């Protein structure tokens, strides 16, 4: 059976037309499920009985089960969700001064094999469906609704490479953004990619105003090949021009994520190379204190080094921020919670 949460608004309109209905049915359904939180077709009182039966025959409204939930002292909530086929993925809710942000997983496992990342410890088993990404957001939204709040931001930075699941991620983003549904502004949505160049270029043509973040983490091919094997396929001399092309077409500034790992990518030479590499772009750098993963032996850089990196970039014409950390008392780093539970 199809899942109603798999459809962006325009896709649902097409579905309705295929069922010999007027397209406004999509608006009615969106309003019930996303605005009113009603997932039972029988309660959709402005839809006639016979079409309700058709909906029930064709679509499920099932969401997601929670296997583990951890609440941090700082308000971060991390969940291990169980999918219909028994696979597990993580999602995280974070409380910022500007609102509530959900970090969504886009795949079960990941094939990108970044050396520092816990997600890649488990290879990709499959892509998540749009409905499985929506379900993560709706879970945290209903958690917040009990406190009179709601999800205001979504970052696709959980397990998985979103551009390796392009079509479903795009439907997901369109669904989040739809004014008849959750109505999360495009500028409140961030897609983070390890740098799949053809998809960055394709994404530029979608003309969406969502934020694009590029996981850079190294400023030379030599080091990036080691930390992020995707660089062997799409090296920096292809990645940076693709980013510039994206900026030109979308008129948006890109974020470069740079994890600082002790004695690996945190020297002043690394910093100068980074500055020179991205200077031609309009991008800014989000410096991320590394969240250690026991399995790989990497350590986080000292605060002094992080600050030196930050100041050098600022002094040399690159906007830069240091990422705020959440959930240090729970398994909030990418893939840590699932990895722990798979091993049991
Ligand atoms: N595949 C996508 C999105 C998932 S990772 C990507 O590569 O961007 C989201 C971000 O978290 C990436 O920048 C990733 O490099 C970073 N990350 C992964 N493991 C981390 C860790 N242990 N500590 C800090 N950041 C980490």
């Amino acid at each position: 059976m199809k899942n109603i949460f798999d459809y962006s608004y325009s896709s649902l309109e097409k579905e309705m037309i295929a069922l010999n209905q007027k397209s406004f049915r999509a608006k009615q359904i969106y309003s019930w499920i996303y605005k009113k939180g009603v997932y039972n077709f029988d309660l959709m009182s402005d839809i006639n009985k016979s079409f309700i039966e058709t909906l029930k025959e064709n679509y499920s409204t099932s969401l997601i089960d929670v296997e583990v939930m951890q609440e941090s002292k700082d308000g971060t909530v991390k969940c291990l969700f169980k999918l219909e086929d028994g696979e597990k993925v993580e999602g995280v809710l974070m409380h910022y001064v500007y609102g509530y942000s959900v970090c969504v997983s886009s795949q079960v496992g990941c094939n990108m094999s970044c050396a520092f990342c816990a997600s890649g410890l488990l290879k990709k088993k499959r892509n998540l469906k749009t409905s499985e990404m929506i379900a993560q957001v709706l879970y945290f939204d209903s958690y917040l609704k009990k406190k009179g709040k709601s999800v205001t931001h979504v970052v696709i930075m959980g397990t998985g490479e979103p551009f390796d699941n392009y079509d479903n991620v795009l439907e997901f983003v369109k669904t989040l953004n739809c004014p008849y549904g959750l109505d999360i502004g495009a500028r409140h949505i961030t897609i983070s990619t390890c740098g799949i160049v053809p998809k960055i270029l394709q994404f530029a043509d979608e003309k969406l105003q969502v934020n694009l973040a590029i996981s850079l983490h190294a400023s030379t091919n030599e080091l990036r090949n080691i930390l992020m094997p995707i660089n062997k396929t799409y090296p920096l001399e292809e990645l940076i021009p693709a980013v510039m092309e994206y900026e030109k077409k979308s008129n948006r500034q890109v974020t470069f994520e740079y994890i600082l790992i002790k004695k690996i990518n945190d020297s002043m030479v690394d910093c100068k190379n980074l500055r020179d590499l991205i200077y031609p772009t309009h991008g800014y750098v989000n410096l991320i204190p590394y969240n250690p993963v026991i399995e790989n032996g990497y350590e986080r850089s000292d605060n002094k080094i992080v600050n030196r990196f930050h100041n050098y970039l600022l002094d040399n014409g690159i906007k830069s921020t240091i990422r705020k950390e959440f959930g240090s008392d729970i398994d909030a780093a990418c893939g840590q919670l699932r990895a722990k539970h798979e091993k049991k």
Side-chain angles (χ1 to χ4, degrees), residues 64 67-70 78-83 85-92 104-112 117-128 136 158-161 293 295 330-344:
I64 208 163
E67 178 115 332
V68 184
M69 184 194 197
Q70 296 181 336
K78 181 152 193 171
C79 287
L80 186 65
F81 295 111
K82 193 169 168 189
L83 309 173
D85 60 357
E87 294 296 349
K88 289 163 197 165
V89 291
E90 297 172 24
V92 189
V104 171
S105 288
S106 56
Q107 297 179 315
V108 179
C110 183
N111 273 348
M112 299 300 128
C117 179
S119 297
L121 295 172
L122 301 152
K123 289 291 143 231
K124 172 174 130 182
K125 290 202 179 157
R126 65 173 178 85
N127 286 331
L128 288 197
Q136 297 173 56
T159 297
E161 168 49 44
V293 174
E295 283 83 351
I330 59 174
D331 299 298
C334 323
Q336 280 185 352
L337 184 60
R338 174 167 169 250
K340 195 158 105 182
H341 284 266
E342 293 281 320
K343 269 187 263 155
K344 279 185 183 163

Side-chain angles (χ1 to χ4, degrees), residues 103-107 110 112 114-120 156-164 191-196 213-217 224 228 230 256-261 286 288-293 296 298 300 323 325 332-336:
C103 176
V104 171
S105 288
S106 56
Q107 297 179 315
C110 183
M112 299 300 128
C114 297
F116 47 80
C117 179
S119 297
I156 310 174
M157 286 194 189
T159 297
E161 168 49 44
F163 280 171
D164 186 33
I191 298 182
S192 176
T193 177
C194 63
I196 301 183
I214 307 286
S215 296
L216 198 59
H217 310 324
R224 201 164 186 269
M228 303 181 68
I230 190 71
F256 291 102
E257 293 159 281
Y258 195 96
I259 304 176
L260 284 160
I261 313 175
N286 194 6
I288 310 173
Y290 181 59
N291 211 334
V293 174
N296 62 33
Y298 290 132
R300 72 166 48 193
R323 182 179 289 175
E325 284 187 273
C334 323
Q336 280 185 352

Side-chain angles (χ1 to χ4, degrees), residues 64-309:
I64 208 163
D65 289 330
V66 182
E67 178 115 332
V68 184
M69 184 194 197
Q70 296 181 336
E71 291 178 279
S72 161
K73 289 192 199 84
D74 65 15
T76 305
V77 183
K78 181 152 193 171
C79 287
L80 186 65
F81 295 111
K82 193 169 168 189
L83 309 173
E84 264 175 0
D85 60 357
E87 294 296 349
K88 289 163 197 165
V89 291
E90 297 172 24
V92 189
L93 173 70
M94 289 161 291
H95 186 188
Y96 288 87
V97 277
Y98 53 74
Y100 289 91
S101 179
V102 174
C103 176
V104 171
S105 288
S106 56
Q107 297 179 315
V108 179
C110 183
N111 273 348
M112 299 300 128
S113 304
C114 297
F116 47 80
C117 179
S119 297
L121 295 172
L122 301 152
K123 289 291 143 231
K124 172 174 130 182
K125 290 202 179 157
R126 65 173 178 85
N127 286 331
L128 288 197
K129 295 188 276 180
T130 300
S131 54
E132 292 169 326
M133 291 181 264
I134 285 289
Q136 297 173 56
V137 177
L138 290 180
Y139 176 81
F140 288 117
D141 200 51
S142 63
Y143 170 92
L144 287 172
K145 286 266 159 36
K146 290 177 200 142
K147 304 175 181 209
K149 315 271 188 224
S150 54
V151 172
T152 56
H153 293 69
V154 173
V155 298
I156 310 174
M157 286 194 189
T159 297
E161 168 49 44
F163 280 171
D164 186 33
N165 182 14
Y166 189 90
D167 294 342
N168 293 350
V169 166
L170 200 68
E171 281 287 281
F172 171 58
V173 167
K174 287 180 182 168
T175 306
L176 292 174
N177 186 223
C178 177
Y180 306 126
L182 292 167
D183 198 17
I184 295 180
R187 287 167 185 241
H188 287 194
I189 301 170
T190 302
I191 298 182
S192 176
T193 177
C194 63
I196 301 183
V197 165
K199 297 294 176 190
I200 295 172
L201 297 173
Q202 188 178 342
F203 193 65
D205 289 327
E206 307 286 354
K207 302 272 184 284
L208 293 167
Q209 288 294 296
V210 307
N211 305 309
L212 184 65
I214 307 286
S215 296
L216 198 59
H217 310 324
S219 49
T220 61
N221 282 327
E222 199 188 355
L223 180 59
R224 201 164 186 269
N225 285 345
I226 297 169
L227 294 180
M228 303 181 68
I230 190 71
N231 195 69
K232 293 179 199 158
T233 313
Y234 304 114
L236 293 170
E237 61 274 18
E238 290 178 30
L239 178 60
I240 298 300
V243 166
M244 290 169 75
E245 179 73 16
Y246 175 83
E247 287 180 328
K248 207 165 94 191
K249 283 195 172 155
S250 67
N251 226 346
R252 298 300 315 276
Q253 199 181 24
V254 160
T255 305
F256 291 102
E257 293 159 281
Y258 195 96
I259 304 176
L260 284 160
I261 313 175
K262 194 177 211 163
K263 297 213 165 89
I264 300 287
N265 65 354
D266 66 351
S267 73
M268 282 319 284
V269 174
D270 292 313
C271 188
K272 286 179 182 135
N273 285 341
L274 173 65
R275 184 265 174 203
D276 293 347
L277 179 70
I278 66 167
Y279 192 72
T281 76
H282 298 290
Y284 87 93
V285 177
N286 194 6
L287 294 170
I288 310 173
Y290 181 59
N291 211 334
V293 174
I294 308 142
E295 283 83 351
N296 62 33
Y298 290 132
E299 291 171 53
R300 72 166 48 193
S301 306
D302 299 334
N303 284 345
K304 209 175 73 191
I305 300 281
V306 175
N307 289 331
R308 198 165 70 180
F309 227 85

